[in-house]
Amino acid sequence: LLLTSRMRWRRRAASLAGIAIFALVVSGAGYWAAHNYVRGAAFVVQAADLQGIARTLAEWETGPVAEQSLTIPWRAGALPARKFLPIGTWRRTFLLVPGVHASGVDEPRLVGFARDLASIGHPVVTVGPPDLARYTISPAVTDAIEDAAAWLSQQRELSPDGRVGMMG
């Protein structure tokens, strides 16, 4: 009778351990499958400047960002730019162009948006075409954006495959 009782206990313990391992595998697979959605939600929470539990959960998906000023060559000289680099794993790099604003690459909303993107793992380069800072829409603006994108796509440390995302 004592031997049978021990065998039952061992079977139950083995069954519980199997169920626990299965639950961990399923939850891990679920997180892996949904990770891009979780990262996207973290970006939205951060960009919208939400607070509370949503912000706390979003901060699990974000990381520190290093910033650096730089200039990008273009056919009419040099463009003011900023580089926002995530610390850790990188994904596709984005070229981010400000709207019509006198502050150019220093415009606070642009800087915040670039930091938010970089905090979820995307390197970001912001570039400020001078005509946009003068409230002028001209062919020089598209030339500046084109030259900045071409320059960025050739920077192997930022764009190993020569491809960049663009936003404006």
Side-chain angles (χ1 to χ4, degrees):
L1 184 65
L2 185 60
L3 184 60
T4 329
S5 172
R6 284 186 184 164
M7 288 175 37
R8 282 187 203 147
W9 184 84
R10 285 185 182 161
R11 283 186 194 150
R12 286 183 186 151
S15 294
L16 288 174
I19 290 170
I21 290 170
F22 178 75
L24 284 172
V25 168
V26 167
S27 63
Y31 177 77
W32 179 79
H35 187 248
N36 285 336
Y37 295 106
V38 171
R39 244 184 9 156
F43 169 72
V44 170
V45 166
Q46 192 170 8
D49 200 25
L50 297 177
Q51 299 301 319
I53 187 86
R55 183 61 166 222
T56 302
L57 293 173
E59 287 173 354
W60 289 352
E61 289 295 321
T62 60
V65 175
E67 296 179 34
Q68 178 184 0
S69 293
L70 67 143
T71 56
I72 295 177
W74 74 299
R75 58 191 89 174
L79 296 167
R82 261 197 192 155
K83 184 168 41 173
F84 300 82
L85 300 177
I87 308 300
T89 307
W90 289 13
R91 293 170 180 82
R92 171 99 40 230
T93 299
F94 287 109
L95 176 65
L96 189 56
V97 181
V100 178
H101 197 282
S103 297
V105 294
D106 297 321
E107 199 273 315
R109 292 172 298 170
L110 177 74
V111 171
F113 187 61
R115 282 183 188 141
D116 289 343
L117 276 174
S119 75
I120 61 167
H122 291 282
V124 176
V125 173
T126 58
V127 62
D131 280 2
L132 291 179
R134 291 190 293 266
Y135 297 92
T136 304
I137 305 293
S138 69
V141 172
T142 56
D143 291 345
I145 295 169
E146 178 185 350
D147 291 353
W151 176 87
L152 184 55
S153 70
Q154 294 170 2
Q155 305 306 305
R156 292 297 165 231
E157 72 277 3
L158 293 171
S159 178
D161 62 357
R163 296 171 53 189
V164 296
M166 295 177 61
M167 287 187 253

